[in-house]
Amino acid sequence: MPQEAHVYSYSAVLMGSPILLKLFQHNEHLAHQVFRLIKHYENLLTVNRSPSEVMNINHAAGLHPVVVNPAVYQLIKCAKSASLLPNSVFNLAIGPLVKCWKIGFQGSSVPPADEISTRLALTSPHQVILDDEQHSVFITQAGMELDLGAIAKGYIADRVRDFLHSQQVFQGLINLGGNVQTLGGASQMRGTPWSVGLKKPFAGPDDLIGVIEVEGKSVVTSGTYERWFEFAGKRYHHILDPRTGYPLDNELHSVTIVSEDSVDGDIWTTLIYGMGVEQGCACLANKPGIEAIFVTKDRRVVLSSQQLFTFTLQDSSYQLAPQGS
Ligand code: AMP
Ligand code: MG
């Protein structure tokens, strides 16, 4: 593409995911600073190894509050609010279930039903107590664990955007393992959007259903095809239903959210995935800053609205369906 001529790409593997940074200047130092920033937040937020601020909170479950860095505190507060929305399937305290399914990690298997129900009892977001003055987080019951996997990448993508802005960089793209945040457009000429692929579920890594075009917006997808395993002919994916303890199961393969901030996209993909097409569209009808692209198991692509992006269908085995059909 001609507009790509002056784009410089930098890549790394962080947070267990491929990271891609695109800039309009050859600046390895800046790219290095961006990757260092991502690593910094990963070290605060990870629940896959100690130490991290979130691991410190988890280790103190049932024992005492833990004072955390203000950014971590705000993120946990935001994750708790999302978890307490009416009928929310987002749950920041889903950790014990994520750990027992191990989806995306070695040794994933279907846990025994009694283990799932034991762990379900350890996932109430109400038992995550926040203290705004102290910036402390207290998980009241031993065995409970926070998991910020559904929100951390979005949050970090926004911090990268803010950092680039602080360095007077107003055009670029950061892709954190599928969480994309764009700055400006894709060319030094005005009005050239970035193209973000809408992935075809359970197909090759480069197989797309279509292309989403945005400028200065975030594009985040949660999909059943991202991390999964198969057992006895059934697929089990990594987004768990906090009401049942099993992977969420409805008509959807993926939800993509286009929004200003990637942290919103990261939260809303999970919330909207839990709602399904009809309820999801109804919910977003009065949220102009959050737009969804649903991919259904019966190969429909449904757009909740289309003010923030354009979408071009490329795979003719999919049908662009009107909202609510
Ligand atoms: P995402 O890639 O943003 O869809 O987030 C998926 C990750 O979030 C999983 O790998 C888990 O670590 C975590 N997770 C799984 N189910 C939930 C849930 N219902 N609410 C919040 N986080 C979840
Ligand atoms: Mg998410």
Side-chain angles (χ1 to χ4, degrees), residues 256-275:
T256 299
I257 298 284
V258 180
S259 55
E260 190 73 28
D261 289 330
S262 207
V263 71
D264 292 332
D266 216 357
I267 293 170
W268 279 93
T269 47
T270 306
L271 291 174
I272 293 291
Y273 176 33
M275 293 178 198

Side-chain angles (χ1 to χ4, degrees), residues 1-10 21-27 171-172 185-189 194:
M1 278 197 282
Q3 74 263 29
E4 294 273 328
H6 300 290
V7 175
Y8 297 88
S9 296
Y10 302 88
L21 172 69
K22 291 187 179 191
L23 299 172
F24 284 90
Q25 47 177 284
H26 180 51
N27 191 338
Q171 278 191 299
S187 136
Q188 274 136 339
M189 281 176 1
W194 290 100

